[in-house]
């Protein structure tokens, strides 16, 4: 249920150790962590995973494409020597409203899209729930607590170029 986590298992990629100073940063082609770029809809984002490896910060329903360029990438991605992770969100159906929820032992989430007069509004929100029923264990003395959200409005007009506006946020704390 988290395709972005697959990046961790691909050849040429590695994640820094969980409790290191650069925890959770992606290493591509054995370069320094800051020598790789992570993009969401062509905008740099600081990290892809809650608590360095726990879960990605983007709801699966919002994903359209996840691309990994470990080498030989275009100059449009700038001056990095490691690689590029390019995540694209999808444009929801403009005709049909949609709502879905998901709950497991780690997190609960909601996704919704609603067609509007001149476009479509989509949103996703997730929050951890393990801290509600678990106070700590051998691995975590303080249980991880996180949230993320993504709000997107796609303006569609038959005679103009499509325009999308997004608002994204995420946070991690320990209980």
């Amino acid at each position: 249920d988290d395709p972005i986590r697959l990046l961790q298992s691909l050849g040429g990629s590695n994640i820094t150790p969980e409790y290191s100073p650069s925890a959770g940063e992606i290493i591509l082609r054995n370069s320094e962590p800051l020598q790789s770029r992570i993009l969401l809809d062509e905008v740099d984002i600081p990290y892809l995973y809650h608590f360095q490896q726990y879960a990605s910060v983007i709801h699966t329903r919002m994903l359209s494409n996840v691309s990994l360029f470990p080498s030989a990438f275009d100059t449009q991605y700038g001056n990095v020597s490691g690689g590029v992770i390019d995540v694209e969100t999808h444009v929801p159906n403009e005709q049909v409203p949609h709502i879905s929820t998901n709950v497991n032992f780690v997190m609960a989430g909601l996704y919704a899209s609603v067609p509007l007069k001149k476009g479509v509004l989509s949103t996703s929100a997730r929050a951890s729930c393990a801290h509600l029923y678990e106070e700590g264990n051998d691995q975590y003395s303080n249980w991880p607590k996180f949230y993320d959200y993504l709000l997107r409005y796609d303006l569609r007009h038959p005679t103009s170029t499509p325009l999308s506006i997004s608002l994204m946020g995420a946070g991690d704390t320990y209980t």
Side-chain angles (χ1 to χ4, degrees), residues 6 9 18 20 32 35 37 53 58 66 69-70 115-116 119 145:
L6 291 174
S9 64
E18 187 171 357
S20 71
E32 293 293 321
Q35 283 299 309
R37 288 186 72 193
Q53 298 175 39
I58 303 163
V66 179
F69 302 105
L116 301 173
K145 182 178 176 183

Side-chain angles (χ1 to χ4, degrees), residues 14-56:
N14 196 4
I15 303 293
T16 55
E18 187 171 357
Y19 294 106
S20 71
S22 61
E25 294 178 355
I26 296 177
I27 298 170
L28 298 174
R29 293 183 42 226
N30 211 23
S31 66
E32 293 293 321
L34 296 176
Q35 283 299 309
S36 296
R37 288 186 72 193
I38 303 169
L39 302 170
L40 175 66
D41 291 335
E42 300 180 17
V43 175
D44 283 294
I45 60 174
Y47 62 97
L48 269 178
Y49 305 105
H50 290 291
F51 292 102
Q52 301 88 27
Q53 298 175 39
Y54 205 62
S56 69

Side-chain angles (χ1 to χ4, degrees), residues 72-93:
F73 42 85
D74 196 272
T75 57
Q76 76 182 35
Y77 294 115
N79 186 19
V80 294
S81 61
V84 175
I85 297 168
D86 191 5
V87 179
E88 298 173 17
T89 56
H90 78 91
V91 178
N93 188 322

